[in-house]
Structure formats: structure tokens, C-alpha cells
Amino acid sequence: MAIIHKATLSPSKLELIADYLPKQPWFIQEGEPELVGAYRFDDPAGEVGIETHVVSAGDRIYQVPLSYRGYELAGANDWLIGTMDHSVLGKRWVYDACADPVYIKALATAILTGQKEAEQFVDGESQPRPSTVSVQGTGMLDGGLPALSASAPVSGSGVTIIDAGSLRLKVNRVVEVAVDAAVNTAAAPELHTELALTGTWEGLENPVELASVIRD
């Protein structure tokens, strides 16, 4: 469960993303980014916000996972996107979440166990707020997760690869790279051989692959 505060952010999340994207090797310099939607994972410790933004720029769709922290993440300065002032929580350090161990564990958990995005509750309200991006893992693991560790992610050809100890994760940065592999897991599970996180949003006919576990 993710708690959303009624707050003013300076700079805004989209402003941070717009400054970050042109510096990335997988971003094509075309058009200003516009938010398509977002989804969240839950940090069981309640310390780190984990929110993935899906944005459009030109004719392409990009996936930008962010983690929000109330303190600096040791050893992750190269992955710091910026800081913002949150009118409720104070100063927040915003990271490319692919370098954040809390995000890595949450992503692996969703993929391996078939978990969906976290329910979002606006602070003080009893009904969840609908997520603008719906995701679900294709795995069915009901036991313990394998041991995970964080290492520096490596990006190229529209994806980011994360070596996480016993797992290697792939995050699709350019979502259109996976459009041809769009899969309806309920109708055609045989078409999808990897364990993955699939997602959909308004206007998208079939789920697309957002991330996966790479098999050696």
C-alpha cells in the first residue's frame, strides 16, 4: 500500500524527468516528455517511495523508474536525478530506481510472484486511487525469493540490465521496443517464455512487457 500525500513539489517530478531524459543513451532527442501514467511498488519498511513513470516524447514511449528517499543513498551519486522539496515530507533525494536496492527487490518480487502494482491511498482518504498504469508479474512463486544484491545498472539499446546476485533483470526503457512482443498472458501464455512484468494503460490495446528476468 502506497500513501500519497497532498503536497506541493518543487521541482515537479515531470520537470526532473525532462531534465534527466536527454542525458540518457536510450533517449532519442525528439519532443518534450509528457506523462502517460505511473505505477507504484510498496516498500515494506515504509521508507522509500517507488514510482515508475511512463512518458511519451515524440513517437516513443519511455519507462522511468524513480525512488524517493529522505536521505542520500550511499554509493549512488551517479544515479541521483536531483532533489525536490516536498511540502509534507521535506527534502527528497530522487534516484534512478534501477540503482536502488529497494526497487530491485520490489521489481523482482512482482515478476516472480505475479504481484500487481501497489494500491495507492491519498492521505486521509479511505478509498484507493486508481493507478494510471496497471502492471502484473507473470511468475507464480509462492516460496522465498532468491538472494538479491545490488550492482550498478548498465544501459544500452533501449534497455537497462541489472545484475542482482542470483537474478539478472532487464528493464525496458524504450517501451516501444517491446510493442511487437505485446502479450495477453491470459489468452496466450505460450507466447511469453520469460518471467516478466507486463503493463497496460488507457489507450493501449494489449499489455506490453516492461521488465523481465533474463535466463542465462
Side-chain angles (χ1 to χ4, degrees):
M1 181 178 69
I3 302 298
I4 312 300
H5 297 280
K6 298 175 182 177
T8 300
L9 305 178
S10 180
S12 70
K13 297 171 186 177
L14 190 57
E15 286 173 333
L16 286 173
I17 291 171
D19 182 64
Y20 172 71
L21 282 177
K23 303 171 186 175
Q24 305 314 305
W26 37 264
F27 181 71
I28 306 300
Q29 308 292 328
E30 182 180 309
E32 291 295 321
E34 297 182 7
L35 183 64
V36 174
Y39 64 95
R40 286 180 177 260
F41 289 138
D42 183 44
D43 171 19
E47 293 290 330
V48 180
I50 309 169
E51 185 176 30
T52 297
H53 297 262
V54 176
V55 300
S56 64
D59 294 329
R60 293 174 176 82
I61 302 293
Y62 298 93
Q63 182 177 205
V64 187
L66 301 180
S67 65
Y68 312 121
R69 289 174 167 266
Y71 51 88
E72 294 183 72
L73 176 59
N77 191 60
D78 288 345
W79 303 94
L80 179 66
I81 292 177
T83 60
M84 64 182 180
D85 293 321
H86 189 291
S87 61
V88 175
L89 300 176
K91 185 175 181 178
R92 306 292 282 173
W93 281 259
V94 183
Y95 290 91
D96 181 327
C98 289
D100 195 313
V102 176
Y103 167 77
I104 293 170
K105 184 175 181 180
L107 176 62
T109 299
I111 292 174
L112 295 176
T113 67
Q115 181 177 300
K116 297 181 179 181
E117 74 277 5
E119 282 195 322
Q120 302 180 50
F121 287 84
V122 175
D123 192 19
E125 298 182 5
S126 60
Q127 296 299 316
R129 183 177 72 178
S131 179
T132 50
V133 175
S134 298
V135 300
Q136 184 168 13
T138 62
M140 295 184 292
L141 180 69
D142 58 6
L145 288 174
L148 299 176
S149 62
S151 63
V154 177
S155 294
S157 301
V159 302
T160 293
I161 304 299
I162 307 168
D163 282 315
S166 58
L167 288 181
R168 176 173 289 181
L169 301 172
K170 179 183 73 174
V171 177
N172 291 330
R173 298 293 201 157
V174 182
V175 177
E176 66 182 359
V177 168
V179 166
D180 290 339
V183 56
N184 184 329
T185 55
E190 70 279 5
L191 297 180
H192 192 73
T193 57
E194 292 180 327
L195 295 178
L197 183 77
T198 63
T200 189
W201 50 86
E202 185 177 358
L204 190 64
E205 184 175 350
N206 294 307
V208 294
E209 184 181 289
L210 298 176
S212 62
V213 172
I214 299 176
R215 299 297 189 184
D216 293 328

